[in-house]
Amino acid sequence: MEAAATAALVKRIGTVIKRASKNRASAWWYSPHMAAASRAIAERLPLADLIVEVRDARVPLSSEYELLKNYPSPSRRIVVLNKMDLANSSRTKEWMRYFELQNCESFAVNSHNRENIKQFLNFLQAKVRELKKMDNSSSTTAIMLVGIPNTGKSALANSLHNIGRISAAEKGKLKHAAVSSQPCETKDISSLKIASNPNVYVLDTPGVLPPVICDFETSSKLALIGTIRDSLAGEKQLAQFFLSILDSGKEYEQWAKLSTAGSGRLSVDFREEYSGSCQTETTKKRQYPSDHTQDFIVQDVRRVLYESISSTRVDMRRRKDVLRLIEFQLAALREAFRIPSELGEEDACIRVSEKLLNLYRTGRLGHFTLDDIPKDIDVHGTS
């Protein structure tokens, strides 16, 4: 976050979000529903046997749940770094060490990885057994999942539910939590069974943001990963923010083998794409140039980004140079994304930005951890 261009983009995005949160400019920002959800969660927190705070592994600090900042019982609280498959794996390990030094139990998960969820479920059941020994209770255990919007609470609850159902008679009878890629889609607290003998339930809760986010870096990062709706911060501004991070790092270097510098050709010739002259199975699979998630388009996007960064030798300390590179990249990506030439410049830029953000958020353009460990914490030292 030290580059001047990145700092300028952070300030711009953060200012817009801060203003919106204060003025309630967004229809969904801390709406009456979210305020009511906050009160309901606060009331039920003391009643839960175990609190699982679900954070995003890409922003382990920025995705902290405000209601738990002063939660008095660390023995009944676990921080889960979800979406670990989208974060930098070595940085995730450092963050796990950080939480250990803070005397806080943590666990990194990918809610779509069956084996990983099995491990996490075993971890939770062991934790439940510890709690039962402490209070000598054999009653049903309630585990409350809490967190800000879009950290994957519902997906995690469903995965635990699917893995944890023991009796075949239970299948098909127990509800699932609704999952959406958009933030703030969970409306009510729902209960899902994840274990029997003794019974263990997870309570999936709505994502809740603080009424106001004053810190520019925090709000910008949350907007970049999709916690805050793109329309609030602006798709182009978020795409520029991502590119400033990519350009200043080394993630792009792994795409060097894709470079076709000087050939003037995309990985799939556009004329061949539309001619229909080639009837091979490969061509049949590549007949949807508007689908930016297809491998051949992703490869072209990676190539464009690699060549633009490696050939310019931009000084990342010079704000104007970096912003000029970003504008060049957004323009060059129009061809890689197969944006129709007749589309207006502004609409084309928004279309490119939307597709670029989607590829970043699904891990197709690398694995980034946006938060840094606090400087006063040495995660590499010996305790």
Side-chain angles (χ1 to χ4, degrees), residues 162-266:
N162 290 332
I163 296 295
R165 287 179 301 179
I166 297 174
S167 171
E170 292 177 345
K171 293 185 178 180
K173 294 184 179 180
L174 300 177
K175 61 184 178 180
H176 287 68
V179 178
S180 172
S181 60
Q182 294 297 319
C184 304
E185 288 299 310
T186 301
K187 303 299 183 184
D188 301 297
I189 297 176
S190 58
S191 175
L192 296 93
K193 190 175 184 179
I194 64 171
S196 301
N197 302 317
N199 293 329
V200 181
Y201 288 83
V202 292
L203 304 179
D204 181 33
T205 65
V208 175
L209 286 166
V212 177
I213 302 179
C214 295
D215 183 76
F216 289 167
E217 275 203 22
T218 297
S219 57
S220 298
K221 292 172 186 176
L222 294 181
L224 182 58
I225 65 172
T227 299
I228 299 170
R229 292 187 189 274
D230 294 346
S231 57
L232 188 60
E235 291 85 356
K236 180 180 178 180
Q237 285 74 20
L238 292 175
Q240 290 175 320
F241 183 26
F242 165 67
L243 288 173
S244 72
I245 295 171
L246 177 71
D247 295 345
S248 61
K250 296 184 178 181
E251 192 81 8
Y252 74 94
E253 294 177 355
Q254 63 184 307
W255 305 328
K257 61 182 179 182
L258 301 175
S259 179
T260 57
S263 69
R265 171 184 170 87
L266 294 175

Side-chain angles (χ1 to χ4, degrees), residues 164-368:
R165 287 179 301 179
I166 297 174
S167 171
E170 292 177 345
K171 293 185 178 180
K173 294 184 179 180
L174 300 177
K175 61 184 178 180
H176 287 68
V179 178
S180 172
S181 60
Q182 294 297 319
C184 304
E185 288 299 310
T186 301
K187 303 299 183 184
D188 301 297
I189 297 176
S190 58
S191 175
L192 296 93
K193 190 175 184 179
I194 64 171
S196 301
N197 302 317
N199 293 329
V200 181
Y201 288 83
V202 292
L203 304 179
D204 181 33
T205 65
V208 175
L209 286 166
V212 177
I213 302 179
C214 295
D215 183 76
F216 289 167
E217 275 203 22
T218 297
S219 57
S220 298
K221 292 172 186 176
L222 294 181
L224 182 58
I225 65 172
T227 299
I228 299 170
R229 292 187 189 274
D230 294 346
S231 57
L232 188 60
E235 291 85 356
K236 180 180 178 180
Q237 285 74 20
L238 292 175
Q240 290 175 320
F241 183 26
F242 165 67
L243 288 173
S244 72
I245 295 171
L246 177 71
D247 295 345
S248 61
K250 296 184 178 181
E251 192 81 8
Y252 74 94
E253 294 177 355
Q254 63 184 307
W255 305 328
K257 61 182 179 182
L258 301 175
S259 179
T260 57
S263 69
R265 171 184 170 87
L266 294 175
S267 63
V268 176
D269 194 294
F270 221 13
R271 290 167 298 182
E272 179 181 302
E273 189 70 38
Y274 285 101
S275 67
S277 59
C278 180
Q279 296 300 318
T280 64
E281 185 64 26
T282 300
T283 303
K284 290 179 182 178
K285 292 180 180 178
R286 296 178 174 177
Q287 58 186 339
Y288 303 108
S290 61
D291 181 4
H292 65 279
T293 66
Q294 293 185 100
D295 288 345
F296 76 102
I297 291 183
V298 175
Q299 295 293 70
D300 282 333
V301 171
R302 292 170 175 169
R303 177 189 59 80
V304 167
L305 293 173
Y306 171 79
E307 292 180 353
S308 63
I309 301 170
S310 60
S311 63
T312 53
R313 302 291 189 272
V314 169
D315 185 348
M316 294 303 296
R317 294 170 297 180
R318 295 177 60 87
R319 173 183 169 184
K320 290 183 178 179
D321 289 352
V322 176
L323 293 178
R324 191 179 300 117
L325 168 61
I326 291 172
E327 288 301 315
F328 170 78
Q329 289 172 320
L330 290 174
L333 286 171
R334 295 179 193 177
E335 183 181 7
F337 278 126
R338 278 63 171 177
I339 304 298
S341 57
E342 62 270 17
L343 203 63
E345 183 175 344
E346 183 176 348
D347 289 338
C349 186
I350 292 177
R351 189 82 61 84
V352 166
S353 299
E354 291 172 341
K355 293 176 182 290
L356 186 68
L357 289 171
N358 176 262
L359 292 184
Y360 154 67
R361 290 168 180 165
T362 53
R364 305 295 296 278
L365 296 180
H367 303 86
F368 300 87

Side-chain angles (χ1 to χ4, degrees), residues 143-158:
I143 300 175
M144 180 176 279
L145 303 184
V146 298
I148 64 173
N150 214 32
T151 54
K153 294 185 298 299
S154 295
L156 180 59
N158 283 335

Side-chain angles (χ1 to χ4, degrees), residues 22 39 72 97 107 138 140 173 210 253 288 339 376:
K22 283 189 172 183
R39 292 192 295 271
R97 174 59 178 161
F107 203 101
S138 59
T140 296
K173 294 184 179 180
E253 294 177 355
Y288 303 108
I339 304 298
D376 60 333

